Amino acid sequence: MALRFSKSKHNTKVILDGERWERRLQKELMSLIKEPPPGVVVDSDQGENLSLWTIKMRGAEGTLYEGENFTLQFKFSPKYPFDSPEVTFIGPNIPVHPHVYSNGHICLSILTDDWSPALSVQTVCLSIVSMLSSCKEKKRPPDNSFYVKTCNKNPKKTKWWYHDDTV
Amino acid sequence: MFILDLILSLWRSLAGLVWFSNQNFPKSLSVYIRSNDGKKLSVDLDPKWDIKSVKEIVGPKLGLEAEEIKIILAGKELDDSTIIEEIDLGEQSTVYCVPLDHKGKTKQKSVNKILVNLPEEEVITFHVACSHCHGIKHGKLRVRCAECKSGAITVDRDPASWSDVLNPSLISGHCEEQGCAAGPVAWCEFYFRCKEHVSADDIAIPLPLIHANLRSIPCLACNDVRDPVVVFECSDRHTICLECFGRYASIRLRERSFVFSRQYGYTLACPAGCEGSFITEPHHFRILLQTEYELYQRFAAEECVLQGGGVLCPRPGCGAGIFPDDDCNRVACQCGYVFCKRCLEGFHIGECGERDSAAEGGTSGGYSVDPARAAQARWDEASKRTIKVSTKPCPKCRIPTERDGGCMHMLCARCTFEWCWVCQTEWTRDCMGSHWFG
């Protein structure tokens, strides 16, 4: 990604080439690498494709997930940040949690209905960490097998009914 | 002889032109001077001149001495030492020239600058929606007398906020227009003009949410510090740059997910979803491209009809909004189409249900036509069939809805009703339990 400098009367602005949403992602990536939330590791080499990220997450100490490692995948559309990212757990270890389906889909309202452009990858990671940390019993959602058998690959194609804020 | 005269006068005027250009005028500004008794002159001014020189030119033309007049622009008397190019005076602007009433004059800050409490040297810009330029443009603030609409008025007090500007009858002034009934006790009426086209009298609509980013607030969406910005009226005063605001409006429009508010119409809230943050001046949506803005206007009108209990004529290409009688299901549109209020199909007697579409279409023309050939020769038949096969009507508003993968839980983009694709009724927990994904 090339840097272009343009001078205005008052200050010097750095303008990154590329679309607005890519520039915001670039910024988010840089700040996430510099100051990741606890338990979150971002690989600085996300490849050429800015619209697909993988993020490593470690189960917090003193919780049911202590010692476990998870991988999250973020997919961004050009409508980002006005459209939420598509976030799923991937890889061999999917956390066993009442809001996480065994195919990696996460039932979390900020990923669809309650998304706002003021949120970020950072805030999504924090929500997921806290969702895992507050879990009292490791179990799959009650409708897991039915959901996983029939659902679309894209979790955003599922219209969720959010009901349980306790876990 | 006559022809000779003509040639001579032509020659003189040509020579005059040459002489004029030899004077090497840097860039002349053509403005109108209007006196308080209705006289209007057009003068060319050099932007480097001060107001004193203007008075020396204008005074004699009005039969007055330069010392006997004052020049008023946007509610303020201009000081002799003010240089024309330093004030907000555009091509073909109008300034007012009135006889002096011997009051001591003090140098005054221009209204524009006082409004945002800025030091004199800062240049500030107002943003306006211009119907002539089809978009958001820079604007200039002007003042006129609420009674006689003349600009020959000076303000008694400077406006201190947008509400002073947007609400008439908050700031008094002294109208110097001859014969004005209000005279020294007039109300000031503030208004805006588009700066980007030369206009005699069209008024632009101010957009108070657009601010100069004097505090260097980063945009909520792109995180860059940009100028100008849109500041929402939520308690956090969330800020988004103008460019991202345009993307926000365009994306939401295409999803048809603007919100219809009874108070403010078809609008958007702060992108962070804050309470009480609706945009109350819909002209902010002039940020959209012209074609999108027309779509916005159409959606807004349709939404207004639907929310008010009306129906839209289902005939392709019509779509007129109709408020039908409560006690009758038969709706006759101006386009000639007569339809059933409940199922939006061609009007029928009895219950709504499946009918042969050939029954629609009114009276027979009296010709005998092979029905098979007639069925093939229908222009819209293919798309009609596609719509019938691939869509289901929303159980509430009847809009044909296509399911583009995903689950059976449908959210109507038109009326926000949540329904089940399988049951074609309201979505329930049972639907989720037995056929969430079919």
Side-chain angles (χ1 to χ4, degrees):
Chain A
M1 194 167 275
L3 290 173
R4 190 174 71 223
F5 293 89
S6 81
K7 268 207 166 114
S8 77
K9 207 171 98 188
H10 301 295
N11 56 344
T12 306
K13 284 183 192 154
V14 181
I15 297 172
L16 285 161
D17 276 343
E19 295 284 332
R20 212 122 259 273
W21 66 282
E22 290 177 331
R23 290 176 43 206
R24 158 149 169 176
L25 283 177
Q26 187 72 36
K27 273 190 175 177
E28 282 199 49
L29 184 58
M30 286 194 286
S31 83
L32 211 56
I33 290 167
K34 240 175 33 196
E35 294 165 48
V40 173
V41 184
V42 191
D43 200 343
S44 62
D45 181 30
Q46 292 288 345
E48 282 296 289
N49 190 358
L50 249 187
S51 62
L52 190 70
W53 299 14
T54 49
I55 289 178
K56 299 253 189 300
M57 190 174 270
R58 211 172 46 240
E61 279 176 35
T63 71
L64 297 178
Y65 302 93
E66 184 173 343
E68 288 189 67
N69 287 304
F70 309 109
T71 309
L72 274 174
Q73 178 181 269
F74 281 71
K75 264 191 200 172
F76 304 92
S77 82
K79 287 184 186 175
Y80 186 79
F82 297 106
D83 189 22
S84 63
E86 187 187 317
V87 186
T88 46
F89 280 106
I90 54 166
N93 193 26
I94 307 285
V96 178
H97 183 281
H99 291 172
V100 182
Y101 291 90
S102 55
N103 63 352
H105 287 195
I106 307 163
C107 179
L108 183 65
S109 65
I110 61 161
L111 296 179
T112 51
D113 293 10
D114 292 340
W115 170 258
S116 124
L119 300 174
S120 62
V121 176
Q122 170 124 2
T123 52
V124 169
C125 286
L126 280 171
S127 292
I128 293 175
V129 167
S130 101
M131 182 185 91
L132 293 181
S133 299
S134 62
C135 180
K136 307 264 187 337
E137 189 193 352
K138 276 187 167 185
K139 59 174 184 190
R140 290 279 178 221
D143 52 351
N144 184 61
S145 57
F146 169 65
Y147 177 81
V148 171
K149 239 189 297 175
T150 55
C151 74
N152 192 286
K153 229 170 67 194
N154 179 356
K156 292 183 69 180
K157 294 249 179 185
T158 302
K159 174 102 184 80
W160 309 89
W161 258 3
Y162 303 103
H163 42 89
D164 179 8
D165 293 330
T166 56
V167 187
Chain B
M1 196 59 199
F2 170 74
I3 289 174
L4 202 69
D5 265 353
L6 191 72
I7 290 170
L8 207 67
S9 70
L10 255 175
W11 168 248
R12 280 202 191 113
S13 58
L14 267 174
L17 271 178
V18 172
W19 175 83
F20 186 80
S21 60
N22 278 349
Q23 290 288 302
N24 206 6
F25 268 69
K27 215 170 110 196
S28 93
L29 190 64
S30 170
V31 299
Y32 294 109
I33 306 280
R34 212 180 148 292
S35 70
N36 62 338
D37 54 5
K39 272 186 220 143
K40 198 170 184 182
L41 319 166
S42 170
V43 289
D44 289 328
L45 304 175
D46 181 336
K48 302 269 182 230
W49 286 351
D50 59 14
I51 293 300
K52 193 158 191 291
S53 336
V54 177
K55 287 182 178 174
E56 278 160 7
I57 291 188
V58 173
K61 292 195 181 179
L62 295 170
L64 293 161
E65 293 294 320
E67 294 78 35
E68 290 175 335
I69 55 171
K70 60 182 175 186
I71 306 271
I72 297 174
L73 174 70
K76 292 285 177 174
E77 181 187 346
L78 298 175
D79 186 78
D80 274 357
S81 63
T82 305
I83 308 294
I84 293 170
E85 65 183 358
E86 287 173 0
I87 55 176
D88 192 15
L89 192 63
E91 189 73 17
Q92 306 205 2
S93 290
T94 302
V95 294
Y96 289 80
C97 178
V98 300
L100 200 59
D101 53 1
H102 43 56
K103 261 194 230 154
K105 42 185 175 148
T106 47
K107 180 158 181 169
Q108 290 173 306
K109 268 184 170 184
S110 79
V111 171
N112 288 5
K113 291 180 179 172
I114 286 156
L115 185 59
V116 284
N117 200 14
L118 271 183
E120 194 73 17
E121 62 273 12
E122 286 274 359
V123 180
I124 66 121
T125 42
F126 294 102
H127 289 83
V128 294
C130 177
S131 54
H132 180 269
C133 305
H134 294 315
I136 293 183
K137 301 288 171 194
H138 290 158
K140 47 193 184 186
L141 180 61
R142 291 292 181 259
V143 192
R144 64 187 176 193
C145 169
E147 176 76 24
C148 69
K149 310 292 178 199
S150 163
I153 185 169
T154 47
V155 295
D156 289 343
R157 173 170 79 79
D158 295 318
S161 65
W162 271 106
S163 81
D164 279 350
V165 170
L166 298 179
N167 301 314
S169 314
L170 277 182
I171 291 188
S172 58
H174 184 170
C175 180
E176 316 229 11
E177 184 73 23
Q178 274 182 13
C180 173
V185 283
W187 286 118
C188 295
E189 196 174 271
F190 292 90
Y191 63 101
F192 287 82
R193 287 245 156 95
C194 172
K195 243 184 183 175
E196 315 210 354
H197 73 279
V198 172
S199 73
D201 46 63
D202 48 340
I203 283 176
I205 294 140
L207 304 173
L209 296 190
I210 304 181
H211 292 241
N213 195 357
L214 300 171
R215 300 179 192 171
S216 299
I217 306 290
C219 165
L220 174 92
C222 70
N223 280 335
D224 287 343
V225 175
R226 316 247 316 169
D227 195 18
V229 288
V230 174
V231 182
F232 285 86
E233 288 177 317
C234 44
S235 55
D236 286 339
R237 316 277 337 262
H238 279 128
T239 301
I240 182 170
C241 75
L242 198 57
E243 196 179 319
C244 285
F245 175 64
R247 281 189 63 213
Y248 173 52
S250 167
I251 289 172
R252 288 289 178 269
L253 181 75
R254 280 159 201 285
E255 291 168 348
R256 206 180 167 126
S257 51
F258 275 52
V259 184
F260 185 84
S261 143
R262 276 203 181 280
Q263 205 174 349
Y264 307 120
Y266 198 52
T267 187
L268 284 176
C270 160
C274 305
E275 294 262 325
S277 61
F278 280 132
I279 293 176
T280 57
E281 170 51 86
H283 286 92
H284 285 95
F285 301 122
R286 271 283 180 196
I287 189 74
L288 295 163
L289 300 174
Q290 180 60 16
T291 48
E292 291 176 324
Y293 191 72
E294 283 162 12
L295 195 64
Y296 164 76
Q297 289 175 311
R298 208 191 85 205
F299 286 178
E302 287 182 3
E303 218 58 44
C304 182
V305 169
L306 294 172
Q307 299 285 334
V311 290
L312 303 171
C313 173
R315 204 182 70 121
C318 178
I322 302 161
F323 290 96
D325 291 337
D326 283 342
D327 49 353
C328 181
N329 287 331
R330 183 182 178 277
V331 185
C333 179
Q334 280 184 333
C335 74
Y337 190 61
V338 182
F339 60 97
C340 166
K341 184 173 77 181
R342 283 185 299 171
C343 67
L344 300 183
E345 296 285 342
F347 181 68
H348 56 88
I349 295 164
E351 290 301 301
C352 304
E354 286 299 314
R355 283 171 318 285
D356 182 12
S357 62
E360 299 167 18
T363 55
S364 144
Y367 298 102
S368 53
V369 182
D370 174 6
R373 192 178 297 172
Q376 283 170 359
R378 290 187 206 148
W379 181 256
D380 283 333
E381 195 50 23
S383 56
K384 264 190 191 161
R385 205 180 303 125
T386 309
I387 289 173
K388 254 204 174 122
V389 168
S390 63
T391 71
K392 291 184 180 181
C394 162
K396 195 167 173 209
C397 73
R398 315 298 302 172
I399 186 82
T401 307
E402 192 181 14
R403 196 177 69 91
D404 172 25
C407 65
M408 299 297 160
H409 186 167
M410 308 298 290
L411 173 66
C412 181
R414 162 88 49 102
C415 71
T416 70
F417 185 66
E418 295 191 30
W419 56 284
C420 171
W421 182 262
V422 177
C423 309
Q424 283 183 252
T425 53
E426 191 169 5
W427 181 257
T428 62
R429 192 151 292 281
D430 288 342
C431 299
M432 198 158 120
S434 67
H435 49 261
W436 194 358
F437 286 87

